[in-house]
Amino acid sequence: MARRGVTGGPGTGLVDELAAVLRERIYSGRYPSGARLPQENLAAELGVSRTPLREALRVLEQEGLVRVTPGQGARVVSGDVATLLAAYELRAVVDGLAARLAARARPALARCRDLRRILASQRAALDPWSPRAYTGANVDFHEQILHLSGNEFLVAEAPVLRMTAQVFAPVALVDPARAQRAIAEHEAIATAIEAGHEDDAERLARAHIQATIDELRAEHDDAAPTPRDSTASGPAS
């Protein structure tokens, strides 16, 4: 039977290709946060047996994109506030160190231009406002800094970046005002990297992520129900 959407051969290559297909579908929102991933249906759609598909789901589980529960199957991770905050706390460390190492490396002019081109794409997404274009450029900006760091272990943390920016997007909806603030912060980070100012680059990158953490915490606190006053009227259900 010809495979539909997957063309790799048997073994590890097929598992990697299946993982790549499923990963991209999660990042694109085709499989949103919390969505079930029924193995029987996916295997039939992709034209593969359930064995390599099961292995591919395990790969995504190791990356934190999927949760597999015995007896319940696989689901895309749910983007509740607690999970999102935990991921962003890791991001603050990863992004800060990546910016420091990128500044230490003093990237070549061509690579700095790549960073500036990404910033230009972000600004272009503001008017007319395009959340999808902005989010894509946002991911590209942070991933570029991971690569500029020259540290392969930091580059390996890219799935956490994509998880916060793409998989959990419905939890932390971006709006133009937030995007404008983020772009200004990105420009300051890029300038510090270009100048080779390690301390400034790390401080600005950490502060950039911390601003999002603070906003999420504030929104969560505002949304939390307040204890009912003992004198308040209304049904005591």
Side-chain angles (χ1 to χ4, degrees), residues 135-158:
T135 298
N138 178 54
V139 170
D140 290 344
F141 178 83
H142 288 284
E143 276 196 333
Q144 177 73 356
I145 293 176
L146 289 180
H147 288 287
L148 291 177
S149 76
N151 186 307
E152 62 180 298
F153 295 100
L154 286 175
V155 174
E157 296 297 331

Side-chain angles (χ1 to χ4, degrees), residues 3 6-7 10 14 20 24 26 28-29 35 53 88 90 93 113-114 137 141 161 176 189 195 199 219 221-223 233:
R3 297 188 180 96
V6 176
T7 58
L14 176 57
E24 185 53 39
I26 293 171
S28 68
L53 178 62
Y88 268 111
L90 176 60
V93 177
R113 285 175 180 160
D114 288 340
F141 178 83
L161 161 62
I189 294 166
D199 291 344
E219 289 173 2
D221 291 343
D222 289 344
S233 60

Side-chain angles (χ1 to χ4, degrees), residues 24-218:
E24 185 53 39
R25 290 182 178 187
I26 293 171
Y27 287 152
S28 68
R30 179 168 173 178
Y31 302 151
S33 176
R36 289 185 65 251
L37 299 173
Q39 294 185 33
E40 185 175 353
N41 293 352
L42 286 173
E45 177 191 351
L46 297 171
V48 297
S49 71
R50 295 178 66 174
T51 299
L53 178 62
R54 191 178 304 115
E55 291 301 315
L57 289 171
R58 285 176 182 163
V59 170
L60 299 183
E61 185 178 28
Q62 291 173 351
E63 294 178 4
L65 287 174
V66 166
R67 288 204 178 114
V68 180
T69 305
Q72 299 181 27
R75 286 183 181 272
V76 179
V77 289
S78 295
D80 56 89
V81 173
T83 302
L84 189 56
L85 282 171
Y88 268 111
E89 285 167 351
L90 176 60
R91 284 275 316 270
V93 177
V94 170
D95 286 38
L97 179 57
R100 170 176 285 277
L101 295 182
R104 182 180 301 172
R106 294 291 296 274
L109 182 59
R111 303 190 77 184
C112 287
R113 285 175 180 160
D114 288 340
L115 208 54
R116 292 294 177 179
R117 274 195 289 270
I118 295 170
L119 283 169
S121 296
Q122 285 190 295
R123 286 192 293 272
L126 292 174
D127 187 17
W129 172 234
S130 172
R132 183 176 294 276
Y134 170 80
T135 298
N138 178 54
V139 170
D140 290 344
F141 178 83
H142 288 284
E143 276 196 333
Q144 177 73 356
I145 293 176
L146 289 180
H147 288 287
L148 291 177
S149 76
N151 186 307
E152 62 180 298
F153 295 100
L154 286 175
V155 174
E157 296 297 331
V160 176
L161 161 62
R162 288 190 171 271
M163 190 184 305
T164 55
Q166 293 176 295
V167 180
F168 294 158
V171 176
L173 291 174
V174 154
D175 59 45
R178 280 179 173 165
Q180 284 187 314
R181 184 212 72 202
I183 291 169
E185 292 169 0
H186 286 175
E187 289 176 338
I189 294 166
T191 297
I193 289 172
E194 290 167 349
H197 295 162
E198 297 179 30
D199 291 344
D200 287 345
E202 180 171 8
R203 174 180 57 79
L204 291 165
R206 280 178 171 264
H208 173 60
I209 300 300
Q210 187 61 47
T212 298
I213 292 173
D214 292 344
E215 284 182 350
L216 286 168
R217 283 181 175 151

